[in-house]
Amino acid sequence: MKKLAVVGSINMDIVTRVERFPKPGETLTGVSFSTIPGGKGANQAVALGRLGMPVRMAGGVGDDAFGETYLRNFRENGVDTALVRVFSGMTTGTASIEVNAQGENHIIVVPAANGACDMAWLEETLPALEDCDIFLLQHEIPLPVVFEAIRRLHAMGKTVILDPAPAAPVPEEVLAMVDYITPNETELRAITSAMGEDADAPARVRRLLDLGVGCVINKSGGNGAYVAARGAAVEHVPGFAVKVVDTTAAGDTFNAGFAAGLALDLPLLEAVRVGHAAAALSVTAFGAQGGMPRREQLLTLLGEEWRARLSL
Ligand code: RIB
């Protein structure tokens, strides 16, 4: 089995459930309030850990109560925390999240310790990850650091999976070094913003492949994903119909399931299917990590015939 690492953000999510989102200037009464672990990078690591996949997390927390809670959360979910730096005098990243009755969300992130994951941090961290094969990155630590990590990992011959979230442009020379990119519609537009406003999704995907991206997985929520690999026809891989409670971290959980599939040497479209199954289960419970499945739950949704393919 290939070894997995996540290089990315760690946030404590401060979540208020509401019947509906407030309008500007409006005060509403919420349904509940919770403080729960999140962050796009950490969510991907925890989702992998829940599936029983050995995974290393590289990121940063503050030396505050949220940081301590988070380190415990990683350990409880089987995530190796040796490369989670505790930045003294800093607070842990936070995300203020509102979730409405339909399970949709609004998110405001304050990077805090995530912002301290700078070039010097990367310089010290990457050599310790040399034994890992597949790397998951996102856009929630400083973008120049994400892009430099991709350049360095590519030069080291590693497999790079980039979840370009939150949406932001990515330099074309960096895109050329990405093996798998997993944008939703908004993120696809952002990473191909050089094409202007008018280009449609298929043209944007083609552009990414022409630049050198190995495979584009255009996530489309409950509708599944469109998978375009270089030299192959575009395939639609449908998602699973489930009762949605909270969509927070569905994309993160997809990436984790997909990466688990790759680490287990599944064919591309089967790895995407595993991503969908993990994401579908994740939205059936409250909180970024509340619904992330264990392997047995995944098998219940995928079917017993997947057991051998998903064994470690
Ligand atoms: O992708 C979901 C995550 O985005 C949340 O957990 C929140 O921390 C934000 O980073």
Side-chain angles (χ1 to χ4, degrees):
M1 184 180 38
K2 301 201 172 73
K3 290 189 179 161
L4 294 149
V6 178
V7 179
S9 59
I10 301 167
N11 293 332
M12 196 54 84
D13 290 352
I14 297 158
V15 190
T16 306
R17 297 180 79 168
V18 284
E19 281 301 320
R20 63 169 176 85
F21 298 130
K23 299 191 187 88
E26 185 184 16
T27 301
L28 285 181
T29 301
V31 176
S32 66
F33 171 82
S34 337
T35 304
I36 41 183
K40 293 186 191 302
N43 287 340
Q44 296 185 9
V46 167
L48 281 163
R50 284 266 173 89
L51 290 174
M53 304 296 293
V55 57
R56 307 182 76 183
M57 176 75 208
V61 293
D63 59 349
D64 55 358
F66 283 169
E68 258 176 53
T69 306
Y70 220 120
L71 287 170
R72 204 166 44 243
N73 177 59
F74 276 139
R75 290 182 195 121
E76 284 168 3
N77 284 288
V79 176
D80 180 336
T81 58
L83 293 174
V84 177
R85 176 87 61 86
V86 179
F87 289 102
S88 64
M90 297 208 69
T91 54
T92 298
T94 52
S96 301
I97 305 183
E98 292 164 0
V99 180
N100 72 7
Q102 286 71 49
E104 298 162 327
N105 58 52
H106 283 165
I107 305 182
I108 300 172
V109 171
V110 176
N114 295 305
C117 296
D118 57 13
M119 290 295 183
W121 168 84
L122 184 69
E123 206 62 50
E124 287 162 33
T125 301
L126 274 188
L129 288 168
E130 209 151 359
D131 63 329
C132 294
D133 309 292
I134 300 178
F135 288 76
L136 295 88
L137 297 104
Q138 320 73 31
H139 281 178
E140 260 188 356
I141 58 173
L143 287 178
V145 177
V146 174
F147 300 153
E148 183 59 16
I150 292 172
R151 290 185 194 101
R152 301 278 292 274
L153 291 167
H154 179 73
M156 290 157 75
K158 305 298 183 184
T159 298
V160 171
I161 304 175
L162 176 62
D163 189 10
V170 179
E172 292 189 343
E173 48 92 19
V174 172
L175 287 169
M177 298 175 193
V178 172
D179 297 288
Y180 301 93
I181 198 160
T182 60
N184 63 21
E185 195 190 325
T186 312
E187 292 149 9
L188 179 63
R189 296 186 80 80
I191 56 178
T192 54
S193 55
M195 296 179 76
E197 283 300 305
D198 294 341
D200 61 9
R204 290 176 191 278
V205 168
R206 269 197 310 279
R207 173 76 184 141
L208 291 172
L209 296 176
D210 288 347
L211 284 170
V213 176
C215 176
V216 182
I217 300 170
N218 185 7
K219 294 186 230 179
S220 186
N223 183 32
Y226 294 89
V227 181
R230 286 227 301 279
V234 176
E235 301 269 0
H236 175 237
V237 182
F240 292 85
V242 289
K243 189 171 178 309
V244 176
V245 174
D246 183 356
T247 58
T248 310
D252 302 331
T253 313
F254 171 87
N255 276 50
F258 172 65
L262 290 187
L264 293 168
D265 287 324
L266 294 190
L268 175 64
L269 299 184
E270 289 189 14
V272 172
R273 191 86 177 133
V274 176
H276 283 332
L281 290 164
S282 82
V283 304
T284 60
F286 172 68
Q289 298 173 9
M292 287 175 180
R294 299 195 179 277
R295 183 177 307 235
E296 285 304 313
Q297 294 166 287
L298 198 65
L299 288 169
T300 309
L301 187 61
L302 280 168
E304 212 28 56
E305 67 274 18
W306 283 74
R307 183 173 292 278
R309 276 176 271 181
L310 291 178
S311 68
L312 293 182

